[in-house]
Amino acid sequence: MRSLLALAVLASLATTSCHSPYVATTVSNRTGQPIELLEVDYPSASFGTQNLADGSDFHYRFKVLGSGKMKLLYTDSTHKDHKEEGPTLNEGAEGSLTIAITPTGVTWRPDPSVTTAP
């Protein structure tokens, strides 16, 4: 009987387990040139990579603590620094975000759930 009760509790926990919201981000380099340094700042932290080849994607998941604007900083193959402001994120934001770097600029494509107020 105890093992049946324990099994029921485990099944209940598995179906009602805690969910931690996160933003699944993809940064795409479509500039025609490699990017030598890439940094994405978001409220309370940042992430990045040393190199992002043309045509490549960089994937990263993060949890938003606090609220504020995102920023993208990168250095192109001619060693020119670029800085672009992105959307405002609110604490607990969840969904996907695509950042495309092209020869004409940066495009931010967040799911509506990423940038809406909680």
Side-chain angles (χ1 to χ4, degrees):
M1 185 68 168
R2 283 187 181 173
S3 62
L4 193 54
L5 179 59
L7 184 60
V9 169
L10 285 174
S12 175
L13 286 174
T15 59
T16 61
S17 63
C18 294
H19 172 74
S20 181
Y22 64 87
V23 176
T25 304
T26 299
V27 182
S28 301
N29 178 4
R30 304 298 183 257
T31 62
Q33 302 292 323
I35 291 176
E36 295 183 358
L37 183 62
L38 173 85
E39 180 181 323
V40 178
D41 296 337
Y42 60 95
S44 78
S46 64
F47 65 89
T49 185
Q50 287 285 8
N51 296 298
L52 188 61
D54 178 50
S56 295
D57 297 328
F58 179 73
H59 304 282
Y60 192 82
R61 291 177 12 165
F62 62 91
K63 182 174 182 160
V64 182
L65 301 174
S67 298
K69 273 209 167 289
M70 294 188 73
K71 292 183 188 95
L72 172 70
L73 302 103
Y74 67 96
T75 304
D76 64 24
S77 61
T78 64
H79 306 290
K80 181 178 178 189
D81 294 330
H82 300 264
K83 181 178 178 182
E84 300 287 333
E85 281 201 3
T88 298
L89 300 181
N90 293 305
E91 185 163 347
E94 180 173 24
S96 65
L97 167 66
T98 302
I99 305 168
I101 306 169
T102 69
T104 58
V106 176
T107 304
W108 302 78
R109 291 188 305 263
D111 280 349
S113 61
V114 171
T115 57
T116 56

